[in-house]
Amino acid sequence: MGTVTPRTDILQQARDIEEWIIEHRRTIHRHPELMYEEVQTSKLVQDTLDELGVEYIAGIAETGVLATLGTGQGPCVALRADMDALPIHEETEVDFRSEIDGKMHACGHDCHTAMLLGAARLLKSQESSLPGTVKLLFQPAEEGGAGGLRMCEEGVLEDPDVQRVFGLHVWPRVPVGTAASREGTFLAASSFLKVTILGKGGHAAMPHMAVDPVITSAKVITELQTIVSRELDPINSGVISITAIHGGKASNVIPEKVEMMGTIRSLTMDGLNHMQERAQAIIEAVAMAHRCTAMVEYPGHDYPPTVNDGPLWDKVKEIGSELLGEGKVFDVPPVMGGEDFAYYTQKVPGCFVGLGVGNPEIGAEHNVHHPLFKVDESALAVGTAMHVCFAVESLAELSAGDA
């Protein structure tokens, strides 16, 4: 396999640039950008890569960046970070909080981008010894825009062909100094749901002269829950959540229309498709029973489940156990959250890992997508080291296999 830098040395190198990684994270955090709007974030990535002397192609999937290090030939390993923020108003009391009202890095993508920039810096320092190519995927639009799919469609896994892909996600559900994932399905398949219930508006004092879409919507919400509670095998997981409902503007007027939004999730694509079919059938039948009309849509993309390759998860556990300590990298049950890292693992073996950032002592105890979401930044150097170790050791193994 040739000479590979010891893992503990790589961790020390990452700790040596920890302030640099954190500074980049905080800069990105102050200027959050939503999906496909990551112009400033993409420029920061490009400027940093220019400073490091790392080659890249910009403008992939609109705002994405593909950086490459090494020989430019196979074997080839990819590391991925997403860049977009969420439409959430930040409520944390930190001196680098979002400077844009209504936008926040509430899912930690600022951390992901900063860790991958740290990996770029460390990999550049040993580029001449890399027995192959490392691709760094700075991806837009993970939060509902299927940026990972567009990156794949625009060829980031080709020329040379990627043989392994690795990704990290800051994970407040486990404490800092740990990491968690699992073999097989780690994250769920998911889709968005939009429902419009049309009735007949009228005076609230004379409901018999109207066709009420409000009470119909209430019945729809209730009946949708029977798909999970009464139609799915209890051993199989599924989620149907209605997360928004809009209808009416006055207390004495029955509106003509109610609109609802939500999400459907399953651990398999077959399960997701089945739940979508049953949801549409139930919504339309309940609406008809109450003299209303229903329109059901599944806007955007159906995200596939994120499936980890077993041997690669074993490799990550081996690396993580040396960097963090025995027992600090562990298996967890599947999580019903979705991730478009799944588009990469549909095409090549990969592993997606939750990096512990939870620390109640500094208020890092809220889950992702929360206005008070925080991370323990001491995890970022570890994440950078994990990226580098995975890339370097994977190239060594793959090149030895080709010998």
Side-chain angles (χ1 to χ4, degrees), residues 52 57 63 96 182 195 240 248 275 278 284 299 317 336 352 394:
L52 297 174
I57 301 172
T63 53
F96 54 90
R182 72 190 314 272
V195 180
I240 298 181
M275 293 173 70
R278 289 298 298 135
E284 291 175 348
K317 284 193 288 188
M336 297 307 291
F352 194 64
S394 288

Side-chain angles (χ1 to χ4, degrees), residues 35-38 42 58-65 140 150-151 154:
M35 61 179 182
Y36 295 121
E37 298 175 359
E38 309 93 333
S42 182
I60 297 177
E62 296 190 34
T63 53
V65 179
R150 288 191 58 179
M151 294 281 280
E154 296 187 27

Side-chain angles (χ1 to χ4, degrees), residues 292-308:
C292 288
T293 302
M295 293 184 291
V296 181
E297 303 172 70
Y298 296 104
H301 296 269
D302 292 348
Y303 279 37
T306 302
V307 181
N308 284 338

